[in-house]
């Protein structure tokens, strides 16, 4: 992914108003992010424990999605799998992220959801730069490029539901 600045990030959101995008907490460390290892930018709002955001370059266009989630209260032995990168996590490492739909449907309260890594670090899990608390990912026969393509395809399908 190419490096983004604050203006790129704020201008990319499809499911919130310009005022909401202007007020959101954008990461202050954008210039320090490992852009070469990221397929999308994802972060949690440090001031609001139930808010997360992601920005991806999909079909040559920056697309940002504001997300909400309930912090998990699952047991230690329960594992869940992220629907984007297929990484398994114990104890709340995966959360149901919901996004308000874009446009009139979103203003009426319609949402879509997907189980994702709570920290939105899917790109780093795929590349082995970050390890889940379970210790490792399942070994796959797909190459890294194929896994990245699958993850971006899953993300693109989710964003299509937000816009559709």
């Amino acid at each position: 992914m190419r490096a983004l600045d604050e203006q790129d990030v704020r201008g990319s959101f499809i499911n919130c108003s310009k005022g909401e995008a202007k007020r959101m907490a954008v990461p202050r460390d954008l210039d320090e992010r490992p852009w070469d290892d990221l397929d999308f930018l994802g972060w949690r709002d440090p001031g609001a424990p139930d808010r997360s955001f992601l920005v991806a370059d999909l079909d040559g266009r920056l697309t940002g999605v504001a997300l909400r989630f309930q912090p998990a209260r699952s047991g230690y032995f329960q594992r869940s799998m992220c629907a984007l990168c297929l990484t398994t996590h114990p104890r709340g490492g995966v959360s149901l992220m919901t996004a308000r739909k874009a446009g009139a449907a979103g203003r009426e309260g319609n949402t879509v959801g997907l189980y994702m890594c709570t920290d939105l670090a899917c790109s780093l899990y795929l590349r082995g730069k970050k390890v889940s608390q379970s210790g490792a990912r399942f070994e796959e026969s797909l190459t890294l490029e194929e896994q990245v393509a699958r993850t971006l395809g899953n993300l693109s399908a989710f964003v299509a539901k937000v816009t559709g």
Side-chain angles (χ1 to χ4, degrees), residues 7-8 33-35 37 42 58 69 71 73 76 80 83 92 100 104 120 127-128 132 137 145 147-148 154-155 159 163:
Q7 185 177 1
D8 292 331
R33 295 285 172 130
W35 294 106
D37 293 326
L58 300 173
F69 69 98
R73 297 184 183 110
Y76 180 78
S80 300
R100 184 172 60 201
L120 296 171
R127 289 167 175 78
S132 78
R137 295 186 71 237
E145 292 77 21
Q147 292 177 50
V148 167
N154 293 341
L155 179 57
V159 170
T163 59

Side-chain angles (χ1 to χ4, degrees), residues 49-68:
D50 65 337
R51 289 191 194 144
S52 291
F53 308 95
L54 66 83
V55 177
D57 189 346
L58 300 173
D59 299 323
R61 181 173 172 247
L62 281 181
T63 305
V65 178
L67 304 162
R68 291 198 176 250

Side-chain angles (χ1 to χ4, degrees), residues 109-159:
N110 295 326
T111 61
V112 294
L114 190 69
Y115 285 94
M116 299 181 202
C117 294
T118 303
D119 61 4
L120 296 171
C122 298
S123 302
L124 301 178
Y125 291 120
L126 286 177
R127 289 167 175 78
K129 307 276 181 172
K130 191 168 184 178
V131 179
S132 78
Q133 288 182 348
S134 63
R137 295 186 71 237
F138 290 112
E139 190 172 327
E140 295 191 60
S141 59
L142 298 178
T143 66
L144 175 59
E145 292 77 21
E146 292 169 328
Q147 292 177 50
V148 167
R150 179 188 60 209
T151 299
L152 289 175
N154 293 341
L155 179 57
S156 183
F158 175 69
V159 170

